[in-house]
C-alpha cells in the first residue's frame, strides 16, 4: 500500500497529464462532424507517430557494439518516420479535397 | 540552456497536437490543423535529435538516425502520395501498424538494456511494467493492423474456427499471466518469458482481427489506432517524455471515443467487437433459404426517365462506388439532375464503405458540396418525401433484416430506411450478397428495381441517357 501511494506521489505529474489529456482528447473529438471522421482518424494516426522520438532516443544512445539495439533501433526509426510522414501526407491529401469545394 | 530549449520544443509539440486535433474538427480549418500538428512534430523530432541528453550525454549515431529518417520519409511520402483514394483505409491501417511496430521495437531494445544492467532479482518493477505494456499493445496493434490491411485489399480472407472466442480469451489471459509473472517474480528466465510474450501478443493481434469482417473493419482500425496511441504514451512514461505522453494519450482517448461512437452507430457493444464475433462463427444461417420471390430489373432508359422527372432524388453510396471509382460520374449525374430542377442529396450511412467517413472523402474528391451530404438520421426523416433512391453499391447498410430479423448477424444495426421512398433503384454488379454475407430482402420488394453493372459504367450510360431525353 505504501509502495503504491509513494509511486503515485513520485509520478503525480505524469498521472495529472494522463488524466487531463484523456479529457482533452474526448472533448476535442466530441465536436467533430462525422464527415470528418476519416481525416480525423488519419490525423490522429499521424500524431501517435510521435513514438518516433522514442526510436530516435534508442538509436542515439545505442553503443556501437550493441548490434541488437543498432538494427532494431534503425528499423524503429524507419517505421516511425513512415507513420509520421505517411500519416500527415495522407491526411493532407484527404483534406485538400474538402477545401477545394469550399468556394 | 539546451535542455530548457528542448523542454520548450516538447511544449510546443504538445500544444500543436491538441490545437491540430481541434482544428481538424472543423472543415474550414482542418487542413491548417493538420499542418500545424505536423510542424509541431518536426520541432519535437529535431529538438530530440540535437538537444536530447541523458546523464549529460548527447545522442550519437547521427548517420543511422538520419539514414532511417530519410528512408522512412521517402517511402512514406511516395506511398501516401500515390495511393488511390479508394485504398485510403488500408493505407491508414498500414501506417498505424508501423507506429505499433515502432513501439514494439523500442520495448525490445529497452528490455535488453535492462536485463544487461541489472541482475534478475533487482529489475525495476515500474520500468519493466511500462516496457511490457508498450510491447504488448504495440505488437497487438502492429499484427492487427497488418491483418486489417491485408483484409481490406483482399489479400487476407476471413478466417475463423469454432471456439475462437475462447481461444482468444485464453491467449489474452496467458499473455497477462506471463506479464504479471515477469514483473512480480523476475528470474533468470526473464528473457525467454519476454520473447514468449512478444510472440503471443503478435499471435493475438492476428487472431483478434482475423475473424472480423464487413461492417466491423472501421471499428477495428479505429480501435487499433487508439491502441498505438497508448503504446506511444508508454514510451513517454519510459523516457519521462511529455510530448510522447501527451500525444499518445490524446490519440488513445480520442480514438477510443471514436471507436465507441462507431459501435453505437451499429448498436453493438465494444466487448462484442473485441471478442470478434461478427462475421465469424455465426454464419448467416437460414436467411438464404427463405422464400425470396423474384426481383425485377430496370433498363437504363427507364431509370433515366424516372430520375429526370422526380422532384427529389437521394443517392446512397456504398463500397461499390469506391471500388468502381465512380465518384466523379456520380457528381456529374447530380449536376445534370440539378440542372433539370431535381433536388439531389446523398444519404451517408456512418459505416458505409470500409471506414467511417469513407464515402464523404470519396465524394469530396469529386467536388460534391458539403451541404449535400446528409447523415443517416436526417436522411431517414426525408425518405418518405423522396421519389427515387439510387443505391450505388451499398448493401448491408440498407438491409431491412437489421430491423426485422432477430437471427440476422446485423440485427439491431441502424439502417437507411430507403424503403420509405416511392421508388428504389439498386445498382449492383450481381445478386451476390454484401460484405457481411447475408441476403437482402430489399432487392425483392415490389418498389425495388435492380440495375446491374459496374457503378461507373452504369452512371456514365445513365448520364448519356438523361442527356438524350
Amino acid at each position: 500500500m505504501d509502495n503504491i501511494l509513494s509511486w503515485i506521489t513520485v509520478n503525480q505529474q505524469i498521472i495529472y497529464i494522463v488524466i487531463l489529456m484523456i479529457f482533452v482528447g474526448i472533448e476535442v473529438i466530441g465536436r467533430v462532424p462525422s464527415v470528418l471522421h476519416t481525416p480525423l482518424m488519419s490525423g490522429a494516426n499521424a500524431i501517435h507517430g510521435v513514438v518516433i522520438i522514442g526510436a530516435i532516443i534508442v538509436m542515439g544512445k545505442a553503443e556501437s557494439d550493441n548490434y541488437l539495439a543498432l538494427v532494431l533501433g534503425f528499423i524503429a526509426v524507419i517505421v516511425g518516420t513512415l507513420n509520421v510522414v505517411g500519416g500527415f501526407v495522407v491526411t493532407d491529401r484527404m483534406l485538400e479535397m474538402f477545401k477545394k469545394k469550399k468556394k | 540552456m539546451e535542455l530548457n530549449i528542448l523542454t520548450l520544443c516538447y511544449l510546443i509539440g504538445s500544444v500543436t497536437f491538441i490545437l491540430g486535433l481541434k482544428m481538424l474538427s472543423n472543415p474550414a480549418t482542418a487542413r491548417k490543423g493538420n499542418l500545424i500538428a505536423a510542424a509541431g512534430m518536426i520541432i519535437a523530432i529535431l529538438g530530440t535529435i540535437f538537444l536530447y541528453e541523458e546523464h549529460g550525454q548527447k545522442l550519437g549515431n547521427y548517420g543511422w538516425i538520419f539514414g532511417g529518417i530519410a528512408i522512412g520519409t521517402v517511402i512514406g511520402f511516395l506511398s501516401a502520395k500515390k495511393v488511390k483514394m479508394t485504398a485510403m483505409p488500408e493505407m491508414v491501417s498500414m501506417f498505424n501498424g508501423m507506429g505499433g511496430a515502432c513501439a514494439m521495437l523500442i520495448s525490445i531494445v529497452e528490455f535488453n538494456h535492462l536485463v544487461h544492467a541489472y541482475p534478475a532479482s533487482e529489475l525495476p518493477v515500474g520500468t519493466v511494467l511500462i516496457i511490457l505494456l508498450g510491447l504488448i499493445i504495440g505488437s497487438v496493434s502492429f499484427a492487427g493492423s497488418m491483418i486489417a490491411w491485408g483484409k481490406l485489399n483482399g489479400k487476407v480472407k476471413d478466417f475463423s474456427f469454432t471456439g475462437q472466442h475462447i481461444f482468444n480469451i485464453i491467449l489474452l489471459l496467458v499473455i497477462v499471466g506471463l506479464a504479471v509473472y515477469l514483473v512480480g517474480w523476475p528470474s533468470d528466465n526473464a528473457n525467454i518469458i519476454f520473447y514468449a510474450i512478444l510472440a503471443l501478443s503478435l499471435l493475438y493481434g492476428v487472431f483478434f482481427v482475423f475473424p472480423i469482417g464487413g461492417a466491423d473493419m472501421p471499428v477495428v482500425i479505429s480501435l487499433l489506432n487508439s491502441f498505438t496511441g497508448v503504446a506511444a504514451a508508454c514510451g513517454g512514461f519510459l523516457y519521462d517524455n511529455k510530448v510522447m505522453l501527451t500525444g499518445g494519450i490524446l490519440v488513445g482517448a480520442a480514438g477510443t471515443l471514436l471507436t465507441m461512437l462507431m459501435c453505437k452507430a451499429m448498436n453493438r457493444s465494444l466487448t462484442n467487437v473485441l471478442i470478434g464475433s461478427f462475421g465469424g462463427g455465426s454464419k448467416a444461417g437460414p436467411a438464404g433459404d427463405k422464400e425470396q420471390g423474384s426481383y425485377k430489373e430496370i433498363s437504363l432508359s427507364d431509370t433515366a426517365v424516372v430520375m429526370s422527372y422526380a422532384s427529389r432524388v437521394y443517392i446512397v453510396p456504398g463500397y461499390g462506388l469506391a471500388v468502381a471509382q465512380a465518384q466523379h460520374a456520380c457528381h456529374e449525374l447530380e449536376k445534370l439532375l440539378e440542372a433539370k430542377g431535381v433536388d439531389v442529396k446523398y444519404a451517408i450511412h456512418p459505416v458505409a464503405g470500409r471506414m467511417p467517413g469513407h464515402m464523404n472523402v470519396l465524394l469530396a474528391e469529386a467536388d460534391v458540396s458539403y451541404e449535400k451530404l446528409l447523415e443517416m438520421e436526417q436522411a431517414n426523416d426525408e425518405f418518405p418525401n423522396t421519389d427515387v433512391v439510387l443505391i450505388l453499391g451499398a448493401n448491408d447498410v440498407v438491409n431491412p433484416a437489421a430491423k426485422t430479423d432477430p437471427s440476422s448477424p446485423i440485427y439491431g444495426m441502424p439502417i437507411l430506411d430507403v424503403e420509405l421512398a416511392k421508388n428504389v433503384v439498386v445498382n449492383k454488379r450481381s445478386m451476390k450478397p454484401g460484405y457481411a454475407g447475408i441476403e437482402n430482402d430489399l432487392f425483392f420488394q415490389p418498389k425495388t428495381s435492380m440495375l446491374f453493372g459496374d457503378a461507373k459504367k452504369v452512371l456514365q450510360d445513365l448520364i448519356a441517357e438523361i442527356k438524350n431525353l
Side-chain angles (χ1 to χ4, degrees):
Chain A
M1 192 64 200
D2 265 0
N3 263 341
I4 298 172
L5 286 180
S6 67
W7 184 86
I8 290 177
T9 313
V10 171
N11 293 296
Q12 54 169 314
Q13 243 194 352
I14 286 180
I15 296 171
Y16 269 98
I17 293 179
V18 169
I19 293 173
L20 293 177
M21 271 303 142
I22 290 175
F23 282 102
V24 171
I26 290 173
E27 276 302 307
V28 159
I29 230 190
R31 293 184 210 113
V32 174
S34 71
V35 288
L36 281 172
H37 274 174
T38 300
L40 177 85
M41 188 144 118
S42 182
N45 174 50
I47 288 175
H48 70 49
V50 73
V51 69
I52 191 189
I53 287 179
I56 292 173
I57 295 175
V58 162
M59 188 76 249
K61 63 180 193 184
E63 303 85 0
S64 52
D65 58 344
N66 186 348
Y67 295 110
L68 180 93
L70 283 177
V71 173
L72 293 190
F74 186 57
I75 299 174
V77 171
I78 295 177
V79 292
T81 315
L82 263 175
N83 187 180
V84 173
V85 176
F88 280 121
V89 174
V90 159
T91 314
D92 190 59
R93 266 190 69 191
M94 290 184 196
L95 293 169
E96 191 181 23
M97 301 174 322
F98 275 94
K99 196 151 186 211
K100 220 167 23 176
K101 52 106 235 259
K102 282 246 46 143
K103 42 187 155 90
Chain B
M1 176 62 187
E2 287 193 344
L3 273 187
N4 294 340
I5 296 177
L6 182 61
T7 309
L8 192 65
C9 287
Y10 286 164
L11 188 63
I12 294 172
S14 298
V15 173
T16 55
F17 292 165
I18 300 173
L19 213 61
L21 269 191
K22 191 174 157 55
M23 290 171 81
L24 270 170
S25 67
N26 185 332
T29 54
R31 197 173 179 197
K32 217 193 269 170
N34 183 52
L35 293 179
I36 285 179
M41 183 73 79
I42 292 172
I43 292 174
I45 290 175
L46 290 179
T48 308
I49 296 176
F50 294 112
L51 303 173
Y52 185 88
E53 50 186 74
E54 199 170 276
H55 312 305
Q57 188 114 44
K58 286 246 160 134
L59 293 177
N61 298 322
Y62 278 155
W64 290 84
I65 294 179
F66 285 116
I69 291 181
I71 294 174
T73 305
V74 171
I75 300 177
F77 189 81
L78 288 183
S79 48
K81 275 283 179 201
K82 273 191 179 160
V83 65
K84 287 206 191 90
M85 271 301 143
T86 37
M88 221 50 125
E90 60 234 48
M91 202 77 232
V92 173
S93 184
M94 163 74 122
F95 289 140
N96 181 48
M98 293 299 108
C102 189
M104 173 182 89
L105 293 170
I106 292 171
S107 282
I108 297 175
V109 176
E110 285 301 330
F111 187 78
N112 219 268
H113 275 301
L114 221 54
V115 284
H116 286 299
Y118 296 91
S121 54
E122 288 170 28
L123 287 175
V125 175
T127 314
V128 175
L129 188 68
I130 292 298
I131 289 177
L132 282 179
L133 262 181
L135 177 85
I136 295 171
I137 302 173
S139 43
V140 168
S141 174
F142 165 60
S145 298
M146 287 302 106
I147 297 295
W149 171 71
K151 271 186 170 229
L152 284 171
N153 65 19
K155 287 201 178 89
V156 180
K157 293 271 167 290
D158 291 3
F159 166 82
S160 63
F161 51 86
T162 31
Q164 175 147 14
H165 308 173
I166 299 162
F167 177 81
N168 278 359
I169 293 170
I170 292 175
L171 198 55
L172 192 59
L173 287 178
V174 171
I175 293 170
V176 173
L178 282 176
V180 170
Y181 177 73
L182 186 57
V183 173
W185 294 272
S187 65
D188 291 335
N189 298 332
N191 248 327
I192 299 168
I193 298 175
F194 183 82
Y195 287 109
I197 293 177
L198 169 63
L200 290 178
S201 302
L202 288 171
L203 197 66
Y204 181 76
V206 170
F207 280 108
F208 171 64
V209 181
F210 241 142
I212 307 174
D216 270 354
M217 215 26 92
V219 180
V220 174
I221 297 180
S222 170
L223 188 67
L224 293 172
N225 191 33
S226 67
F227 276 11
T228 314
V230 176
C234 289
F237 243 107
L238 193 61
Y239 298 116
D240 194 16
N241 186 308
K242 303 291 190 294
V243 75
M244 285 174 81
L245 192 66
T246 46
I249 295 288
L250 194 66
V251 174
T256 309
L257 180 74
L258 187 60
T259 312
M260 289 195 306
L261 288 178
M262 276 182 244
C263 285
K264 218 168 110 192
M266 301 193 302
N267 204 12
R268 303 186 45 228
S269 75
L270 187 56
T271 358
N272 195 320
V273 177
L274 273 177
I275 299 172
S277 70
F278 191 79
S282 61
K283 273 276 167 281
D289 309 334
K290 238 177 19 196
E291 187 58 41
Q292 291 286 17
S294 56
Y295 57 85
K296 67 170 188 284
E297 280 193 55
I298 186 169
S299 69
L300 273 168
S301 48
D302 285 349
T303 315
V305 172
V306 173
M307 293 185 79
S308 309
Y309 294 103
S311 62
R312 179 179 278 167
V313 171
Y314 268 73
I315 299 175
V316 177
Y319 190 59
L321 179 91
V323 171
Q325 287 279 322
Q327 63 271 33
H328 293 284
C330 191
H331 182 47
E332 208 179 316
L333 175 71
E334 170 212 320
K335 279 190 296 191
L336 190 61
L337 288 174
E338 289 263 292
K340 287 181 176 285
V342 184
D343 178 23
V344 185
K345 294 251 167 57
Y346 295 83
I348 313 286
H349 191 279
V351 296
R354 291 289 183 271
M355 225 183 176
H358 194 179
M359 293 300 123
N360 307 88
V361 172
L362 268 186
L363 293 173
E365 187 196 354
D367 284 346
V368 172
S369 125
Y370 195 70
E371 294 76 38
K372 289 207 164 290
L373 310 180
L374 293 194
E375 292 184 22
M376 182 172 59
E377 289 82 9
Q378 292 170 292
N380 279 344
D381 291 342
E382 298 290 336
F383 280 136
N385 307 320
T386 303
D387 300 301
V388 182
V389 170
L390 176 64
I391 298 176
L392 294 171
N395 191 342
D396 297 329
V397 296
V398 292
N399 191 339
K403 290 194 150 166
T404 54
D405 179 8
S407 70
S408 168
I410 59 166
Y411 181 68
M413 177 173 97
I415 55 161
L416 289 162
D417 298 319
V418 292
E419 38 190 349
L420 298 176
K422 297 193 182 77
N423 291 292
V424 179
V425 177
V426 180
N427 165 241
K428 270 169 76 45
R429 274 173 299 183
S430 68
M431 277 309 282
K432 278 214 303 249
Y435 203 73
I438 36 184
E439 285 291 347
N440 194 335
D441 287 337
L442 177 75
F443 304 155
F444 304 98
Q445 287 178 359
K447 268 184 201 173
T448 309
S449 327
M450 307 300 290
L451 184 60
F452 290 116
D454 173 80
K456 189 174 187 178
K457 173 121 196 354
V458 165
L459 282 172
Q460 283 165 345
D461 294 347
L462 192 57
I463 290 164
E465 285 286 342
I466 293 176
K467 280 186 180 153
N468 285 338
L469 276 180

